[in-house]
Amino acid sequence: MPDLIAPRPAATVKPRDIVVGGQAVAAGRRTTVELEIPQLYTHTRMVMPVHVIRGSRAGPVLFVSAALHGDELTGVAIVHRLMRHKLLALSYTQH
């Protein structure tokens, strides 16, 4: 399984990019990466969607997680609201 965030970008990635699940995310970009997670006991492949919102300027980093136990759905609604919040929209430039 690839590292969630590579400490050093690969040579083919721009220096300011970060790598999440093997996908480069440039400054000022917003994308969804599907990370592979361990298979179920039935050998069903699983992925976890990770929304990456990368600011256009250097600054603090925030990690938000929800539904770790599967039935705690209130946290998912809060994360969706956070992703649409106007202050978060000011931190990146959509390309």
Side-chain angles (χ1 to χ4, degrees), residues 43-91:
H43 301 285
T44 303
R45 300 189 85 176
M46 300 289 291
V47 295
M48 176 177 62
V50 176
H51 300 276
V52 181
I53 303 172
R54 177 92 192 276
S56 56
R57 298 183 310 267
V61 175
L62 173 67
F63 173 79
V64 179
S65 177
L68 292 177
H69 299 107
D71 61 350
E72 299 168 347
L73 300 179
T74 305
V76 175
I78 292 170
V79 170
H80 284 190
R81 288 178 62 189
L82 177 63
M83 289 175 54
R84 292 190 307 264
H85 198 279
K86 64 181 179 180
L87 291 177
L88 188 59
L90 294 176
S91 69

Side-chain angles (χ1 to χ4, degrees), residues 14-51:
K14 295 177 185 175
R16 289 193 47 154
D17 292 355
I18 61 169
V19 178
V20 178
Q23 185 172 336
V25 182
R29 295 295 212 127
R30 178 181 193 146
T31 191
T32 301
V33 177
E34 290 189 344
L35 295 180
E36 288 188 32
I37 59 176
Q39 296 177 354
L40 296 176
Y41 71 94
T42 60
H43 301 285
T44 303
R45 300 189 85 176
M46 300 289 291
V47 295
M48 176 177 62
V50 176
H51 300 276

